[in-house]
């Protein structure tokens, strides 16, 4: 659906021009800010279960220790990246470090949306215009396409 669109254009050793349309930039900014808000105000939100999965399913005590050790850092890092990406969407160009942050932010957003949409590997990727969640499905697919292009560009630098 989105694969034919070029989202980034390499310009030099470590720079990428953003070729996103205005509405695409707005969607990225809005969804990153919305997910950041949800993470920041998390009160056990069910759609964050894939963003912050249980580390030790069979051992509640070990999982509680893990949670206490790393959860705050995970929250901080995800918030920082989501806000950084939301703040960079109006830039004309970004460097490879920012492109990596886009990949990480989109992973977080797609985990959240995938949980909301109950996405599975076996599910066919057909959009139904009558689906009340079709807008979320379009965003999920769009971010996946942008993320795929970003990963391809970053992997060329290895």
């Amino acid at each position: 659906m989105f694969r034919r669109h070029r989202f980034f254009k390499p310009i030099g050793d470590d720079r990428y021009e953003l070729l996103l349309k205005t509405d695409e930039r707005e969607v990225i900014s809005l969804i990153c800010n919305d997910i950041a808000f949800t993470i920041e105000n998390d009160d056990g939100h069910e759609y964050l279960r894939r963003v912050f999965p249980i580390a030790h399913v069979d051992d509640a005590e070990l999982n509680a220790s893990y949670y206490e050790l790393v959860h705050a850092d995970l929250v901080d890092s995800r918030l920082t990246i989501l806000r950084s990406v939301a703040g960079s969407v109006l830039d004309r160009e970004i460097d490879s470090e920012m492109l990596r942050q886009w990949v990480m932010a989109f992973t977080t957003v797609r985990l959240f949306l995938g949980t909301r949409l109950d996405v599975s590997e076996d599910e066919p990727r057909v959009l139904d215009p009558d689906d009340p969640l079709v807008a979320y499905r379009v965003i999920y697919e769009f971010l996946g396409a942008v993320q795929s292009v970003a990963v391809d560009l970053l992997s060329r630098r290895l």
Side-chain angles (χ1 to χ4, degrees), residues 127-140:
L127 295 176
D128 176 4
D130 295 327
D131 180 354
L133 301 176
V134 72
Y136 291 117
R137 292 185 191 285
V138 169
I139 293 169
Y140 180 86

Side-chain angles (χ1 to χ4, degrees), residues 1 53 145 147:
M1 171 185 337
Q147 186 178 41

Side-chain angles (χ1 to χ4, degrees), residues 22-35:
T22 301
D23 58 340
E24 293 170 333
R25 292 170 189 256
E26 289 173 1
V27 165
I28 291 168
S29 179
L30 286 170
I31 197 73
C32 285
N33 282 322
D34 284 352
I35 303 301

Side-chain angles (χ1 to χ4, degrees), residues 6-156:
R6 290 191 53 189
F7 304 109
F8 310 99
K9 177 183 173 186
I11 50 171
D13 288 342
D14 188 40
R15 306 293 300 171
Y16 302 90
E17 182 180 355
L18 295 179
L19 302 176
L20 296 160
K21 300 172 188 166
T22 301
D23 58 340
E24 293 170 333
R25 292 170 189 256
E26 289 173 1
V27 165
I28 291 168
S29 179
L30 286 170
I31 197 73
C32 285
N33 282 322
D34 284 352
I35 303 301
F37 179 83
T38 302
I39 290 171
E40 191 172 48
N41 296 287
D42 179 20
D43 58 353
H45 200 289
E46 65 180 298
Y47 301 143
L48 291 173
R49 74 176 184 270
R50 289 184 188 167
V51 175
F52 302 109
I54 296 173
H56 302 281
V57 178
D58 299 328
D59 189 333
E61 187 175 321
L62 186 57
N63 191 64
S65 295
Y66 174 82
Y67 183 90
E68 189 172 318
L69 279 174
V70 302
H71 187 73
D73 289 338
L74 290 174
V75 167
D76 288 345
S77 68
R78 283 177 173 79
L79 288 174
T80 298
I81 288 169
L82 287 164
R83 289 184 177 130
S84 178
V85 169
S88 72
V89 295
L90 296 178
D91 292 348
R92 186 178 164 282
E93 61 185 61
I94 58 175
D95 63 14
S96 59
E97 178 53 36
M98 181 55 71
L99 193 58
R100 279 188 205 81
Q101 289 186 30
W102 281 51
V103 170
M104 291 185 287
F106 291 174
T107 297
T108 298
V109 172
R110 293 185 82 237
L111 285 168
F112 182 92
L113 290 176
T115 305
R116 170 75 171 97
L117 299 168
D118 198 25
V119 172
S120 71
E121 292 292 320
D122 302 329
E123 183 179 302
R125 298 193 182 224
V126 177
L127 295 176
D128 176 4
D130 295 327
D131 180 354
L133 301 176
V134 72
Y136 291 117
R137 292 185 191 285
V138 169
I139 293 169
Y140 180 86
E141 293 297 330
F142 165 67
L143 294 179
V146 176
Q147 186 178 41
S148 177
V149 171
V151 168
D152 288 346
L153 287 170
L154 290 169
S155 67
R156 291 180 196 167

